[in-house]
RNA sequence: GCCCUCUUGGCGGAAUUGGUAGACGCGCCAGACUCAAAAUCUGGUUUCCUUACGGAAGUCCCGGUUCGACUCCGGGAGAGGGCACCA
């Protein structure tokens, strides 16, 4: 027998157990659809090439949940895949002359090896990448269904066009009106684009948020704001000297008598009509289109208007007319593209009115103001009050006024109540190569014709050139040329590809039957969906999570899935942060480059220059405050990295990576290891009759069962940092255990150690397996059931009661549990320290909270 | 501008949801072991006064409710996040 090693060898152990799990397919989901299921999913990664600490944190949490739920007897689905289409692959192709497919699949191979080194309990057999034709062919099929269902359509829309790259840019890619890469001024162009009709579900998507009880309130709120429902009224104004009308949308129809102008969007048909005969207006419209494409630029832009000279008749005040402007701040895409302005009660209208010298008539007067003298100065009044200067509305509240106007408008057929949403249809066309081809063909005779289903997938061609910017599909010599599916004459393929958010909007459904010839196997999705626990970064709170919700509803409508909501539970984890370092010259430094000198100063290792420490920020390449997970795993092993990820910070908050914290996690593993290495046999299960326990053994048993109870509750409640603390307490109790030589000692210690191994397995799976085996147990600890706490051991027969005098703690008493109130009161009053602080004062009242506190009011 | 969240020792954080504030970890201090260092073990560690016993203050600030407030209410400050010409 060789000497036991003096330390736990993580590297050897981790490789060994990973091989065992893979060999035994320990984490494959069961095919038995009668068992209770649990679907755990972490947001799948983009294959950038290497995993980062954010991934480590995300997948550690998901793995903890998956392993815990398995132990609780659930049939667990825990798959992994790759969100593999996207721009970085094309940029790499441009810069490094490597094909996007090669670049992507090599990155996947690297990252897969890294994820596997973490020991995640994933079912790799279900792996796919969204760039696999075997995945995106089904996405193309879904698109054809959406097309038939009217959920996908094509229309002209304004886009940001980079003239030097020949491509459309997302709003985020336009910086100060210039392309982020080219630096060229961006043009607004009108292009035919594909859209998904997410607005058809606006109301549902909003209403259903209320039922997503296991979603963070914050995310639900953000989605609600994004959908942006507002109840208002559509209302027609007649134009003087013309037959047509201007229809406006408003949510403040109660303020109609304060109207002092109408404003049209520059893209409004009437504006175009007028501009045809008015060159100055035409110039103004042109100017509006040019100004800023980014949100920020639009916000800074001055509010400008052009008086068309037209006048509109007030719908309820026959004598009154108001001027009609074209204004740069009115959006064609929202409401009707026209508004009425009531300057007294809307800040933007007020600014506009002051600029163009239009009347400001208050029509809502706050309760404490005098209607005769109330005036609006620099700030519009948007609060509650009574209507005034408003004919038949005078004296009504805002709500009554709205109701009255809406009733009259509908009765007189001048308009109607209307609900509007901020949410827009989802534009999914991208002028890119590395994405899922949109399966349609453009035929001169037949127009836009869907590709026949039997001809799917429309595969990306491999032989493409990346020598120039723009979409290589456009210049491919042959790929575009196909016969029209309808008439058979020569036609052209669509060269746009889908937004990559489409790929990630349904992958969780595909995981249920990833090798199916169909889009999904209905049996499988009916069993597995919805995802019981989805985990990812809060940065996806709106786009990805909203698209996925829309997609699932749309797929339900098309008969693919039986659920409307994809994610029953959502958890958004915080970021991983690290302090930043800069040298004298202001260069960012990697933590690995920074050394501590003997006198404690920080210097740049190679140069010896002084280093200043900046505040902790999200790890980012630009700030260089990154720690490579691979380095940590090499040095300490995956279990240490995983343990640290769960310690200290609550999962939803940001976590600061520190070297000392990582070392602490490493030390903790060694500390447990010493418990076992001393005498591995102690862990061996004892099935004999339960012996009698001495006080010491009983105390250890209590600590063990309290740990089971607390850790279980902590995991269920996503308080992983608290679970970690409770495990520390158990280890401390085991270390402090002093055998008294009684029969129960070994039994209690064996129980404590077995429970400990079971409790740490979801967090430190390799180490737990190693300890389990070291102690001579059969099987794998990851297949052992979760322990149950013995209720009898959770309550002690005494309780520590705090005694307060006038709310201040004066003594603590060890009293029998559930002692009668009178006895507790008597015991408290009898205490010497209590008497001393009472100092002869008479007791007025005594409050007794059983097993907790006695408060004496004197 | 609108909406939301957070604020507790030197640091990360805990507190059974109104009942002993500071669990647990990091760091630090002291001691043991060692020729020494590392590792490990033991003890201490909110602040102030006191040699001690003990006492006082204390959860961003001000005020309130309560026998009792980190927790509930009102007002304010600071930090962070989301949306932002949405009529």
């Amino acid at each position: 027998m060789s000497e036991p090693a003096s330390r736990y060898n993580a590297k050897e152990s981790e490789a060994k157990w990973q091989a065992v799990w893979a060999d035994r397919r320990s984490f494959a989901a069961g095919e038995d659809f009668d068992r209770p299921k649990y679907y755990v999913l972490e947001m799948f990664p983009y294959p950038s090439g290497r995993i980062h600490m954010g991934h480590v944190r995300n997948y550690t949490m998901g793995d903890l949940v998956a392993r815990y739920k398995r132990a609780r007897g659930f049939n667990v689905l825990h798959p992994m895949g790759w969100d593999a289409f996207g721009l970085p692959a094309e940029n790499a192709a441009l810069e490094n002359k490597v094909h996007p497919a090669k670049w992507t699949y090599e990155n996947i191979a690297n990252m897969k090896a890294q994820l596997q080194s973490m020991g995640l309990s994933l079912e790799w057999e279900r792996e796919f990448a969204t760039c696999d034709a075997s995945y995106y062919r089904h996405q193309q099929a879904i698109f054809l269904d959406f097309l038939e269902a009217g959920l996908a359509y094509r229309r002209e829309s304004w886009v940001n066009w980079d003239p030097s790259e020949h491509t459309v840019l997302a709003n985020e890619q336009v910086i100060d009106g210039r392309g982020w890469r080219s630096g060229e001024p961006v043009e607004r162009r009108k292009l035919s684009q594909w859209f998904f009709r997410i607005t058809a579900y606006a109301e549902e998507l909003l209403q259903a948020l209320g039922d997503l009880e296991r979603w963070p309130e914050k995310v639900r709120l953000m989605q609600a704001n994004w959908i942006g429902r507002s109840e208002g009224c559509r209302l027609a104004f007649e134009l003087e000297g013309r037959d047509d009308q201007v229809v406006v949308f408003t949510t403040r129809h109660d303020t109609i008598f304060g109207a002092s102008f109408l404003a049209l969007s520059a893209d409004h048909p009437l504006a175009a009509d007028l501009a045809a005969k008015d060159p100055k207006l035409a110039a103004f419209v042109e100017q509006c289109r040019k100004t800023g494409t980014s949100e920020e630029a639009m916000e800074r832009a001055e509010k400008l208007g052009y008086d068309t000279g037209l006048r509109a008749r007030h719908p309820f005040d026959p004598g009154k007319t108001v001027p009609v402007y074209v204004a740069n701040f009115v959006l064609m895409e929202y409401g009707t593209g026209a508004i009425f302005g009531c300057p007294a009660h809307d800040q933007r209208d007020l600014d506009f009115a002051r600029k163009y010298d239009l009347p400001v008539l208050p029509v809502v007067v706050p309760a404490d103001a005098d209607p005769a003298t109330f005036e609006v100065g620099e700030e519009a009044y948007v609060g509650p009050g009574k209507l005034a200067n408003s004919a038949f509305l005078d004296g009504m509240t805002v709500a009554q006024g709205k109701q009255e106007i809406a009733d009259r408008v509908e009765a007189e057929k001048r308009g109607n109540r209307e609900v509007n949403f901020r949410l827009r249809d989802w534009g999914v066309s991208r002028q890119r190569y590395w994405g899922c081809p949109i399966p349609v063909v453009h035929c001169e005779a037949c127009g836009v014709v869907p590709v026949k289903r039997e001809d799917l997938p429309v595969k990306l061609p491999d032989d493409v050139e990346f020598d120039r910017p723009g979409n290589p599909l456009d210049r491919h010599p042959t790929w575009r040329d196909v016969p029209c599916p309808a008439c058979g004459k020569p036609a052209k393929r669509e060269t746009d590809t889908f937004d990559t958010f489409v790929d990630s909007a349904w992958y969780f459904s595909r995981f249920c039957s990833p090798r199916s010839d169909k889009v999904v196997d209905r049996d499988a999705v009916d069993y597995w969906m919805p995802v019981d626990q989805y985990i990812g970064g809060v940065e996806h709170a709106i786009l990805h999570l909203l698209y996925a919700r829309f997609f699932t509803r749309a797929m339900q409508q098309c008969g693919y899935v039986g659920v409307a909501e994809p994610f029953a539970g959502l958890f958004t984890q915080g970021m991983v942060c690290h302090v930043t370092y800069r040298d004298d010259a202001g260069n960012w430094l990697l933590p690995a480059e920074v050394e501590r000198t003997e006198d404690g100063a920080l210097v740049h290792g190679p140069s010896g220059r002084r280093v200043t420490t900046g505040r902790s920020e999200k790890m980012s390449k630009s700030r260089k405050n990154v720690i490579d997970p691979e380095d940590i795993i090499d040095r300490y092993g995956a279990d240490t990295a995983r343990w640290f990820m769960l310690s200290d910070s609550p999962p939803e908050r940001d976590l600061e990576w520190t070297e000392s914290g990582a070392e602490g996690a490493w030390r903790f593993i060694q500390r447990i290891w010493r418990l076992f290495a001393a005498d591995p046999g102690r862990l061996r299960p004892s099935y004999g009759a339960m012996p009698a326990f001495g006080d010491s053994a009983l105390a250890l048993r209590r600590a063990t069962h309290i740990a089971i109870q607390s850790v279980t509750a902590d995991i269920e409640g996503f308080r992983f940092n608290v679970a970690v603390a409770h495990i520390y307490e158990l280890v401390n109790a085991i270390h402090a255990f002093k055998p008294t030589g009684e029969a129960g000692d070994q039994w209690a210690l064996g129980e404590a150690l077995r429970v400990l191994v079971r409790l740490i397995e979801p967090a430190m799976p390799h180490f737990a397996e190693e300890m389990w085996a070291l102690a001579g147990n059969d099987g794998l600890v990851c297949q052992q059931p979760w322990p149950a706490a013995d209720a009898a051991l959770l309550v002690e027969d005494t309780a520590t009661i705090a005694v307060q005098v006038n709310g201040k703690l004066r003594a603590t008493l060890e009293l029998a549990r559930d002692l009668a109130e009178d006895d507790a009161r008597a015991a408290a009053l009898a205490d010497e320290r209590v008497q001393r602080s009472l100092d002869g004062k008479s007791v007025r009242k005594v409050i007794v909270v059983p097993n907790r506190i006695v408060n004496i009011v004197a």
Side-chain angles (χ1 to χ4, degrees):
Chain A
M1 195 77 202
S2 63
E3 280 289 296
S6 61
R7 301 195 112 196
Y8 168 64
N9 186 333
K11 208 163 188 158
E12 242 172 53
S13 170
E14 292 186 354
K16 178 174 73 189
W17 293 110
Q18 284 160 18
V20 170
W21 295 327
D23 192 45
R24 301 198 195 174
R25 300 188 68 240
S26 298
F27 310 124
E31 293 301 315
D32 177 3
F33 287 178
D34 291 328
R35 281 176 60 201
K37 64 93 182 181
Y38 201 89
Y39 185 177
V40 191
L41 187 66
E42 301 96 72
M43 292 179 182
F44 68 163
Y46 177 78
S48 57
R50 298 187 69 76
I51 63 168
H52 53 68
M53 281 297 178
H55 292 125
V56 175
R57 193 172 191 208
N58 192 182
Y59 302 137
T60 297
M61 289 182 196
D63 201 46
L64 178 114
V65 173
R67 286 173 178 271
Y68 168 75
K69 288 291 176 181
R70 253 181 233 114
R72 294 305 299 258
F74 288 94
N75 187 16
V76 170
L77 176 59
H78 188 211
M80 180 55 73
W82 308 95
D83 187 13
F85 275 133
L87 201 49
E90 284 187 67
N91 293 340
L94 220 71
E95 284 155 25
N96 309 330
K97 307 271 175 254
V98 51
H99 192 282
K102 184 173 175 344
W103 184 86
T104 302
Y105 283 107
E106 281 177 3
N107 286 350
I108 288 174
N110 286 336
M111 289 177 74
K112 184 176 177 180
Q114 288 187 308
L115 289 185
Q116 286 177 326
S117 77
M118 282 181 64
L120 303 169
S121 65
L122 292 164
E123 185 179 358
W124 284 104
E125 289 91 334
R126 289 180 192 254
E127 175 190 9
F128 59 76
T130 55
C131 63
D132 298 339
S134 59
Y135 178 78
Y136 69 68
R137 69 174 298 164
H138 299 296
Q139 188 163 307
Q140 291 171 339
I142 294 169
F143 171 79
L144 298 181
D145 288 309
F146 283 9
L147 208 53
E148 283 167 21
L151 291 167
Y153 66 95
R154 194 175 147 86
R155 71 165 154 85
E156 297 247 289
S157 93
W158 291 102
V159 296
N160 305 309
W161 181 260
D162 185 319
S164 79
E165 298 216 326
H166 308 284
T167 186
V168 168
L169 298 179
N171 280 341
E172 300 76 36
Q173 293 166 341
V174 180
I175 296 154
D176 292 333
R178 290 168 184 272
W180 66 304
R181 271 157 55 90
S182 67
E184 294 294 311
V186 166
E187 297 169 8
R188 284 190 85 200
R189 273 205 193 178
K190 215 166 193 180
L191 283 186
S192 267
Q193 305 262 90
W194 286 98
F195 285 85
F196 285 160
R197 206 179 297 280
I198 190 171
T199 54
Y201 293 95
E203 185 74 50
E204 273 188 54
L205 287 168
L206 181 69
Q207 292 307 320
L209 285 172
D211 300 326
L212 295 174
E213 285 162 17
R214 290 173 49 229
W215 278 45
E217 190 56 42
K218 182 168 92 171
V219 174
R220 291 194 277 173
L221 204 87
M222 281 164 69
Q223 290 212 353
N225 289 339
W226 183 264
I227 295 168
R229 182 183 197 274
S230 49
E231 286 181 12
C233 191
R234 216 175 239 265
L235 175 57
F237 281 74
E238 285 173 2
L239 296 172
E240 241 179 1
R242 287 178 66 112
D243 300 338
D244 48 351
Q245 303 175 319
V246 173
V247 179
V248 303
F249 175 75
T250 179
T251 56
R252 290 303 303 273
H253 28 302
D254 56 304
T255 65
I256 185 71
F257 285 95
S260 53
F261 64 94
L262 296 194
L264 308 176
S265 164
D267 298 321
H268 194 280
L270 179 57
D273 190 27
L274 295 170
K277 286 167 233 145
D278 182 348
K280 276 192 191 156
L281 176 55
F284 180 76
V285 165
E286 195 49 39
Q287 188 195 336
C288 288
R289 287 193 184 144
K290 268 194 201 137
T291 48
T293 38
S294 73
E295 308 284 356
E296 198 190 351
M298 291 172 79
E299 178 58 22
R300 275 202 309 263
E302 199 184 356
K303 315 270 177 283
L304 295 174
Y306 179 91
D307 189 348
T308 61
L310 284 178
R311 294 195 73 86
R313 287 197 197 93
H314 192 284
F316 296 103
D317 188 349
K320 186 173 172 181
T321 63
V322 295
V324 179
Y325 281 78
V326 172
N328 65 348
F329 60 85
V330 181
L331 305 172
M332 194 57 219
E333 301 85 50
Y334 187 78
T336 61
I339 61 164
F340 83 76
C342 176
H345 305 293
D346 181 285
Q347 191 58 46
R348 193 196 43 208
D349 292 349
L350 182 63
D351 296 344
F352 191 81
R354 296 285 186 225
K355 185 174 174 97
Y356 293 100
D357 207 18
L358 297 161
V360 179
L361 175 68
V363 290
V364 179
V365 181
D368 55 357
D370 177 1
T373 57
F374 180 66
E375 275 189 34
V376 165
E378 287 304 299
E379 274 187 35
Y381 178 70
V382 294
K386 289 273 198 287
L387 292 170
N389 303 319
S390 295
F392 53 86
L393 299 179
D394 281 356
M396 288 186 184
T397 64
V398 167
Q400 289 165 338
K402 282 183 186 176
Q403 170 130 6
E404 179 64 28
I405 291 292
D407 285 347
R408 287 189 184 226
V409 157
E410 286 181 346
E412 295 168 19
K413 306 221 181 307
R414 294 165 177 274
N416 52 280
R417 289 180 168 89
E418 190 175 81
V419 174
N420 260 302
F421 294 92
R422 224 185 60 95
L423 184 69
R424 302 291 147 75
D425 276 338
W426 174 16
V428 293
S429 296
R430 296 293 181 270
Q431 290 67 39
R432 305 248 89 106
Y433 165 72
W434 195 234
C436 171
I438 299 174
V440 296
V441 169
H442 299 273
C443 171
E444 271 185 28
C446 312
V448 177
V449 185
V451 171
K452 289 192 172 143
R453 284 175 194 267
E454 58 266 34
D455 295 333
L456 295 183
V458 176
K459 277 195 184 178
L460 286 172
D462 285 332
D463 50 338
V464 282
E465 302 285 338
F466 285 95
D467 48 349
R468 286 171 283 166
N471 184 351
L473 292 178
D474 275 336
R475 6 174 241 266
H476 192 282
T478 56
W479 185 78
R480 299 187 67 178
D481 302 315
V482 280
C484 168
C487 69
K489 292 202 192 103
K492 297 277 187 197
R493 278 195 195 285
E494 171 72 65
T495 57
D496 284 357
T497 53
F498 283 122
D499 179 4
T500 55
F501 276 107
V502 179
D503 311 336
S504 56
W506 71 285
Y507 74 106
F508 40 86
S509 293
R510 182 70 186 165
F511 271 141
C512 301
S513 52
R515 305 289 173 253
S516 176
D517 290 339
K518 294 177 286 183
V519 171
V520 291
D521 282 349
R522 191 59 200 259
D523 284 354
V525 290
D526 281 351
Y527 175 68
W528 289 114
M529 289 296 286
V531 174
D532 295 279
Q533 187 62 61
Y534 197 37
I535 308 175
V538 72
E539 66 273 18
H540 296 110
I542 295 172
L543 294 185
H544 163 60
L545 289 168
L546 193 59
Y547 292 151
R549 295 182 62 216
F550 155 69
F551 227 83
T552 305
R553 283 188 144 71
M555 283 176 73
Q556 182 190 36
Q557 185 181 324
C558 296
Y560 286 114
V561 297
V563 298
E565 285 294 334
F567 312 122
L570 171 70
F571 189 87
T572 53
Q573 106 245 5
M575 299 179 298
V576 182
C577 300
H578 195 283
V579 293
T580 50
Y581 298 113
R582 304 179 90 154
D583 65 15
D584 297 346
N587 303 309
W588 300 104
L589 302 174
L590 289 166
E593 298 171 323
V594 176
E595 292 171 10
R596 191 172 288 275
T597 60
E598 279 176 18
D599 54 343
L602 292 177
V603 295
H604 178 228
S607 69
R609 298 171 79 150
R610 274 198 39 217
V611 168
T612 50
T613 308
R615 63 170 203 155
S616 184
E617 292 180 62
K618 181 189 178 178
M619 285 189 182
S620 73
K621 280 181 194 156
S622 61
R623 305 261 152 123
K624 288 197 167 187
N625 59 338
V626 287
I627 303 288
D628 189 334
E630 201 168 292
D631 292 345
I632 300 302
I633 292 171
D634 273 351
R635 192 138 128 234
Y636 301 108
D639 287 332
T640 296
R642 294 170 59 124
W643 188 252
F644 179 73
M645 283 297 162
L646 299 168
S647 315
D648 291 349
S649 290
E652 69 278 9
R653 278 204 227 167
D654 289 352
L655 169 85
E656 186 177 339
W657 179 273
T658 59
E659 189 65 24
S660 56
E663 269 170 13
W666 171 240
R667 273 203 306 272
F668 179 62
I669 289 176
Q670 299 300 344
R671 186 167 146 85
I672 299 178
W673 184 82
R674 283 191 296 274
L675 283 175
F676 288 91
D679 176 11
R682 290 189 299 186
L683 183 65
R684 206 157 287 138
S686 43
Y687 299 107
M690 198 179 282
F693 298 107
D695 287 349
S696 179
L698 198 59
L700 182 60
R701 292 206 69 209
R702 285 222 170 88
T704 303
H705 285 261
I706 288 170
I708 295 171
Q709 160 105 337
S710 331
V711 171
T712 305
D714 295 336
I715 292 177
E716 293 279 354
F718 265 76
R719 296 182 299 268
F720 304 140
N721 57 321
V722 188
V724 163
H726 284 129
I727 289 171
Y728 272 111
E729 286 186 281
L730 176 58
V731 171
N732 289 344
I734 297 171
H735 264 283
F737 175 60
K738 297 275 183 298
T740 55
E742 281 158 281
D745 285 352
Q746 276 308 308
W747 204 99
L749 188 58
E751 178 188 49
L753 291 169
R754 270 198 313 284
V755 165
L756 173 64
V757 171
R758 192 65 199 86
L759 295 184
I760 62 172
E761 182 268 337
M764 304 194 285
H766 314 88
F767 179 64
E769 294 293 359
E770 189 72 32
M771 294 306 98
W772 188 254
L774 179 67
N777 289 281
D778 295 328
L780 298 173
V781 68
C782 67
Q783 286 163 341
Q784 302 300 313
W786 197 250
D790 181 346
L793 288 164
L794 299 177
V795 282
E796 300 202 48
D797 16 320
T798 62
T800 312
I801 312 281
V803 183
Q804 298 179 337
V805 176
N806 292 332
K808 295 204 182 222
L809 180 71
R810 293 302 170 191
T812 56
L813 301 176
E814 197 70 16
L815 299 179
R817 191 159 195 88
D818 300 326
L819 190 67
E821 283 194 22
D822 287 346
D823 296 339
R825 181 183 299 125
L829 285 167
D831 189 85
E832 177 205 341
R833 289 159 295 185
V834 172
Q835 281 303 324
R836 204 190 313 148
S837 47
L838 276 173
D839 197 22
K841 285 194 278 276
S842 64
V843 174
R844 287 193 294 153
K845 192 174 170 189
V846 178
I847 288 117
V848 179
V849 182
N851 300 324
R852 284 269 163 82
I853 208 163
V854 176
N855 192 11
I856 299 163
V857 190

